[in-house]
Amino acid sequence: RRLSFFGRAFYSYDNRYMLTATVRGDASSVFAANNKWGCFPSFAFAWNMSNEKWLKDVAWLSNLKLRAGWGMVGNDRLTNYLSLSLYNSMKYGQGAQQITVLNPAHLANTNLKWESSMTTNIGVDAGFFKDRLNVTLDAFLKDSHDLLLKQDLAFATGFESQWQNVGQIRNKGV
């Protein structure tokens, strides 16, 4: 199960300067009690330069906007109950009796938490000749950490693997 709340604030001054701020709170039942909630904020700013006085008389340029943003998102895409100790029952015959034995289904991890990604981006939008030609250029940097990955374990544990928060990835591009 998942529960989410978010709030957003937007401000625009003279249709030239725009600011957006968002905060999102997510809870997921796949994590242990101490890690169910994640908080994911984001901020964005845009400068609509085509509404500035010094660009009003440039006939061939119909739109010019500079944008920047920063934000975090979370990932909880994980099999349920991995933070709990669960058992499988097996039945054995012993003489005329049937005996039920409980075996651990997996190695629980009460430290599992949200995988999170932080993205920073900048961009420019330009429109030429009454928006007959439009160009958009974006650059981004995305850092993901506390990745939810299946980690191999030593055979001495009696388990092949355990889900853990390990690793990080960086993506960037234009």
Side-chain angles (χ1 to χ4, degrees), residues 18-24 39-46 67-74 116-123 138-145 170:
M18 291 148 276
L19 180 65
T20 303
T22 305
V23 177
R24 180 178 172 135
C39 181
F40 307 106
S42 69
F43 303 95
F45 173 77
R67 300 174 281 105
W70 175 90
M72 293 182 70
V73 295
S116 60
S117 296
M118 180 175 53
T119 303
T120 304
N121 68 295
I122 58 170
D138 282 298
F140 72 93
L141 176 64
K142 179 179 179 181
D143 288 315
S144 299
H145 59 280
R170 172 172 271 190

Side-chain angles (χ1 to χ4, degrees), residues 25-63:
D26 291 323
S28 178
S29 62
V30 301
F31 300 119
N34 57 334
N35 291 321
K36 286 199 185 303
W37 283 93
C39 181
F40 307 106
S42 69
F43 303 95
F45 173 77
W47 177 21
N48 195 353
M49 292 187 276
S50 55
N51 287 342
E52 295 289 347
K53 291 178 185 175
W54 46 273
L55 271 180
K56 287 279 189 196
D57 295 330
V58 180
W60 54 270
L61 184 65
S62 49
N63 180 37

Side-chain angles (χ1 to χ4, degrees), residues 17 20-21 26 33 55 57 62 72 86 99-100 102 109-110 150 163 168 170:
Y17 309 105
T20 303
D26 291 323
L55 271 180
D57 295 330
S62 49
M72 293 182 70
L86 300 178
I99 298 173
T100 301
L102 297 178
N109 185 349
T110 58
K150 204 173 206 181
W163 283 91
Q168 57 189 20
R170 172 172 271 190

